[in-house]
Amino acid sequence: EPEVTQTPSHQVTQMGQEVILRCVPISNHLYFYWYRQILGQKVEFLVSFYNNEISEKSEIFDDQFSVERPDGSNFTLKIRSTKLEDSAMYFCASSETTEETQYFGPGTRLLVL
Amino acid sequence: QQQVKQSPQSLIVQKGGISIINCAYENTAFDYFPWYQQFPGKGPALLIAIRPDVSEKKEGRFTISFNKSAKQFSLHIMDSQPGDSATYFCAARGDYKLSFGAGTTVTVRA
């Protein structure tokens, strides 16, 4: 069964450093998303992406964040200068259309020290 | 702005019992209501979903009841098993994104 994959599974970084989280969405999916989950809290939407453009973004997704589809398979989330409060589990998701179910990857646990 | 409210925060049920989780939403533009199951350290996995033109959907031991006029929906887990012990999130879709409830941790005692 096709699945969304994410790398790395864990990332530890120093405050102020840049991190790039990588995702490989399901191959025939056209819509891509990033969500995050701070420990013990609910899953929060960050951004949606379609046709090489951001479709929607939340207030969390400020200028420190960017997304990119650098090739035909990868979808990345970059945090330019990490803060302590960026520590969370980051989930990538994809869907075939906006009408279809979003499938989530296993997540990247980011710890900012 | 909390668009999806979920309760209870946690529940304990005996093996074979029924688990009931409730959610309420505010935005009438939501068009799709999935439930996700999450095990520790894993991503949310789709469990079952419903669209607002249907009042009930059943898949195996899992049933969603949907009340459009009350803007509420619930998940029933029948014959709960220890393997059902997980966190369950309701969600609602609108404007390209999912809004999640706060989650319910279900513990099934053997």
Side-chain angles (χ1 to χ4, degrees), chain A residues 21-70:
Chain A
L21 310 183
R22 291 182 168 80
C23 167
V24 179
I26 294 173
S27 62
N28 64 329
H29 287 187
L30 301 177
Y31 292 81
F32 314 119
Y33 314 84
W34 283 102
Y35 292 81
R36 78 172 186 190
Q37 185 178 31
I38 295 171
L39 188 63
Q41 298 185 24
K42 67 178 179 179
V43 178
E44 300 175 289
F45 169 80
L46 291 179
V47 66
S48 60
F49 190 85
Y50 168 72
N51 199 27
N52 283 318
E53 289 185 351
I54 291 175
S55 308
E56 181 83 16
K57 61 182 181 179
S58 72
E59 59 274 10
I60 303 168
F61 194 89
D62 60 22
D63 292 343
Q64 294 299 315
F65 291 87
S66 63
V67 289
E68 191 178 32
R69 186 145 162 90

Side-chain angles (χ1 to χ4, degrees), chain A residues 31 33 35 37 40-45 48 55-56 89 91 97-107 109, chain B residues 1-4 31-32 36 38 41-46 49 51 89 93 95-103:
Chain A
Y31 292 81
Y33 314 84
Y35 292 81
Q37 185 178 31
Q41 298 185 24
K42 67 178 179 179
V43 178
E44 300 175 289
F45 169 80
S48 60
S55 308
E56 181 83 16
M89 193 77 151
F91 294 107
T97 70
T98 56
E99 301 291 311
E100 298 300 320
T101 298
Q102 294 181 22
Y103 292 91
F104 284 73
R109 183 170 297 284
Chain B
Q1 182 184 359
Q2 187 178 8
Q3 295 202 58
V4 181
D31 62 0
Y32 180 72
Y36 285 86
Q38 185 180 34
K42 303 294 184 184
L46 179 71
R51 298 187 191 275
F89 291 94
R93 185 183 66 196
D95 292 331
Y96 300 102
K97 63 182 181 284
L98 292 174
S99 297
F100 282 82

